[in-house]
Amino acid sequence: MEEGTLKSPRHPTGTAPAPVAAPAARCDYGDADPFQWDTREDCEVRQILDRIGDKWSLLVIALLDVSTLRFTELRREIDGISQRMLTVTVRQLERDGLVKRTVHPVVPPRVEYQLTPMGRTLHTTINALVVWTEEHQNQIAAAREEYDRRAATAL
């Protein structure tokens, strides 16, 4: 299991659960079937979504879309990330083919990171999510306030 991940409560041992009876009727979701991705821990799609949906990965991808950066520049730009977490994040993104790491043969060694062409396509998708968030942030804030108000009166 990767660092920073937890075992699924549905699959604590990583094995498939006992068969469960199918629901009496299932909605037709068409192309947007929410069950298209396997929820098991070892599912490739789930692992990739976990990686690219991670807050540190999103920030690294966003920063590297602007320019090639050195490790220290990334760390300085990402408030709150530890050196260890940044190291783990860029290694995982490199392993997934989203980030290219270049080591220059100088003393001290200079290491730079940049997005790969595939990483750049992901940034386009992430940007759409950011735009959506910006457009709806006031509605989300109002919904949170309303929820908190209802929760406080329920006590």
Side-chain angles (χ1 to χ4, degrees):
M1 183 175 331
E2 294 179 12
E3 181 176 324
T5 60
L6 300 173
K7 287 201 175 284
S8 169
R10 289 180 45 198
H11 307 288
T13 62
T15 60
V20 177
R26 184 165 170 184
C27 297
D28 179 15
Y29 297 103
D31 291 339
D33 184 357
F35 302 103
Q36 67 182 322
W37 297 307
D38 195 327
T39 58
R40 288 177 305 178
E41 192 173 311
D42 62 346
C43 174
E44 282 289 323
V45 171
R46 178 179 163 189
Q47 290 174 5
I48 294 167
L49 288 171
D50 285 348
R51 165 94 56 256
I52 62 177
D54 165 287
K55 71 177 178 177
W56 302 124
S57 296
L58 290 172
L59 290 170
V60 168
I61 291 166
L63 286 168
L64 293 179
D65 188 62
V66 176
S67 67
T68 298
L69 295 172
R70 295 177 70 175
F71 184 89
T72 54
E73 293 170 322
L74 278 170
R75 184 156 183 227
R76 190 171 34 247
E77 291 292 324
I78 302 174
D79 188 39
I81 194 168
S82 68
Q83 181 171 336
R84 168 106 175 99
M85 193 70 239
L86 181 55
T87 299
V88 168
T89 300
V90 293
R91 280 185 186 158
Q92 291 171 340
L93 292 171
E94 181 184 11
R95 181 174 183 255
D96 290 342
L98 301 172
V99 168
K100 179 183 176 195
R101 179 178 184 261
T102 304
V103 179
H104 298 278
V106 293
V107 177
R110 185 173 55 128
V111 180
E112 294 179 332
Y113 297 91
Q114 63 186 16
L115 286 182
T116 63
M118 183 169 55
R120 290 202 184 284
T121 66
L122 178 58
H123 184 265
T124 303
T125 302
I126 291 169
N127 193 50
L129 181 61
V130 170
V131 168
W132 181 90
T133 304
E134 289 170 343
E135 290 173 354
H136 295 88
Q137 65 183 342
N138 292 336
Q139 293 169 287
I140 292 169
R144 287 176 177 174
E145 288 176 14
E146 176 60 26
Y147 177 90
D148 292 345
R149 201 173 13 261
R150 286 193 321 264
T153 59
L155 298 176

